[in-house]
Amino acid sequence: MIEYDPETDTAYLKIQEGNYLESEEISAGVILDYDQNENVIALELLGVKSLQPSQWQSLKSQMPVSAYEQLQVFFANASHV
């Protein structure tokens, strides 16, 4: 489930269990968290209201289908975008 904080306009999605090792901002406001085996374990979105679809749609190949589907539902909900 995606956690959204309206005060900071940020969202967080834990994709799988694992020990966090590093983060990479792959595009403006889109940050992936990796474990020691370079698996994506979480996704952070900064400035959700200003993100363009292309900024999160490019994640499709980098995360499980179920996580990407959660993103689609999240961005389809107009209450925060």
Side-chain angles (χ1 to χ4, degrees), residues 66-81:
S66 61
Y68 186 76
E69 288 172 348
Q70 288 184 54
L71 278 179
Q72 290 177 305
V73 170
F74 177 75
F75 280 103
N77 179 352
S79 68
H80 54 267
V81 290

Side-chain angles (χ1 to χ4, degrees), residues 2-20:
I2 296 177
E3 298 173 23
Y4 177 68
D5 183 347
E7 288 185 28
T8 60
D9 192 30
T10 58
Y12 180 81
L13 171 61
K14 185 173 189 173
I15 296 171
Q16 67 181 24
E17 295 296 323
N19 295 320
Y20 165 83

